[in-house]
Amino acid sequence: MGNAQGMENPAATLLLVEDDTVLREGLTELFTREGYRVIQAGSVREAREMRTDEVQAMVMDVGLPDGDGVSLCREWRGAGETRPVLFLTARGEEFDVVRGLDSGGNDYVTKPFRMQELLSRVRVMLRGIRPPQPAGRDGFTVDRERMQVLKDGEALPLTLTEYKILALLMDRRGVVPRERLLEVLWDEGGKFIDDNTLSVHMSRLREKVGADRIRTIRGVWYQWSDTSSAES
Ligand code: CA
C-alpha cells in the first residue's frame, strides 16, 4: 500500500508551448532532467501541429506571437480535448484568471516562477489523469462504478450531487471555477442547480470531508486538497 507514490507517470510527455526560446530551452532541460519527454512549440501554429496523441499534458504560454494560449485552450476544449493544460503567464500581462480557467485551463503559474513550483504543479496535474489508485495517500478514493467516495475504504454518506462535485474536484486537482461546477451539475444531472443551492451543497460537503479539504478562492474557484491543514 505504501509505495504507490513513486509510480506516477515515469515518462510523461509534455507539450511545451513557449515563444521565448531561452525560457523554452531552459524548461525543456529541466523537465527532461526530471524524466519527462518534451515536445516543443513556439507558436499557436506549432502547438496545433505538435498536439499529438503521445502528449499527456500541455504547459502553455499565454502570450504567443500568432495568438494566445487561452483562446487556443478554449478551441481545443470545444473540440473535446481533455488533457490538462497549465498556463504560463507573465506578470503585468493581462491574464484574466477567470477567463483562463473558464477556457478549460487546469492551472497557471505567473512568471517569474520558481522551477520547483512549476514542477510540483505539473506533477499535481498529471496525478489527476493517473489511472485510479486503490487508495489515495490521503485515504480518499473515488469509486466511479458505485458513484461513491471512500474515506479509508468506507463510503461517505453523500448525495448524488455531492458525489458529483467531489468527484470533479478530485479529478481536476487544479482549481475549478464555480461556473464549471454549475455547468457540470446541470449537464449531467438534468436538474437545475442555482448558485445558492451550490453553496448549500458545498457547505454540507465540507462538513462531511473536512472544511480544509476543499479550498476556496474568494468563493469563485474551488480546489481539492490532498492534505488537511492539520497534517501539513
Ligand atoms: Ca510569450
Side-chain angles (χ1 to χ4, degrees):
M1 295 286 266
N3 59 0
Q5 231 182 316
M7 296 173 61
E8 53 189 295
N9 299 281
T13 300
L14 305 175
L15 173 61
L16 173 62
V17 188
E18 169 63 63
D19 61 312
D20 177 334
T21 320
V22 175
L23 181 58
R24 190 174 71 230
E25 292 298 339
L27 289 177
T28 299
E29 201 186 311
L30 171 84
F31 283 129
T32 308
R33 224 170 28 220
E34 293 293 314
Y36 295 101
R37 282 202 56 224
V38 178
I39 298 175
Q40 298 187 27
S43 63
V44 167
R45 187 183 56 79
E46 284 179 10
R48 285 205 178 97
E49 283 169 16
M50 302 297 184
R51 189 180 54 123
T52 56
D53 287 347
E54 59 189 314
V55 170
Q56 279 153 289
M58 348 255 189
V59 174
M60 186 147 71
D61 185 27
V62 170
L64 294 163
D66 55 349
D68 75 283
V70 172
S71 303
L72 184 59
C73 181
R74 185 181 297 281
E75 175 193 311
W76 283 346
R77 289 289 184 248
E81 173 61 73
T82 57
R83 289 169 286 187
V85 173
L86 181 144
F87 291 121
L88 304 177
T89 75
R91 186 166 293 168
E93 189 174 61
E94 274 304 308
F95 176 67
D96 181 337
V97 177
V98 176
R99 188 176 156 257
L101 298 173
D102 258 5
S103 75
N106 298 62
D107 207 347
Y108 69 98
V109 294
T110 307
K111 300 174 192 173
F113 46 81
R114 290 182 307 116
M115 294 302 182
Q116 286 308 321
E117 171 73 9
L118 177 62
L119 283 174
S120 98
R121 298 294 186 94
V122 167
R123 269 196 294 270
V124 166
M125 199 165 70
L126 286 166
R127 201 185 298 147
I129 56 169
R130 221 166 27 160
Q133 300 289 306
R137 66 186 162 127
D138 53 350
F140 283 93
T141 35
V142 182
D143 180 343
R144 270 163 219 295
E145 272 180 33
R146 295 200 176 84
M147 298 182 89
Q148 289 177 338
V149 174
L150 310 173
K151 162 78 171 142
D152 298 327
E154 299 236 348
L156 293 170
L158 302 177
T159 65
L160 183 60
T161 305
E162 288 167 353
Y163 162 79
K164 283 179 178 165
I165 295 171
L166 199 51
L168 178 71
L169 292 177
M170 290 176 73
D171 253 8
R172 284 285 291 267
R173 301 288 165 160
V175 279
V176 179
R178 193 181 171 89
E179 269 176 36
R180 182 160 296 262
L181 280 172
L182 287 167
E183 268 170 32
V184 167
L185 294 173
W186 167 264
D187 286 352
E188 291 180 7
K191 196 171 71 170
F192 181 69
I193 292 190
D194 66 19
D195 219 41
N196 289 333
T197 318
L198 179 61
S199 298
V200 174
H201 285 304
M202 274 301 180
S203 64
R204 289 204 188 126
L205 197 48
R206 296 173 94 189
E207 278 171 26
K208 291 179 184 179
V209 299
D212 48 1
R213 291 293 183 159
I214 300 175
R215 300 203 173 129
T216 175
I217 307 163
R218 284 187 276 135
V220 182
W221 305 287
Y222 294 94
Q223 182 171 31
W224 172 255
S225 167
D226 268 342
T227 52
S228 71
S229 48
E231 293 165 27
S232 59

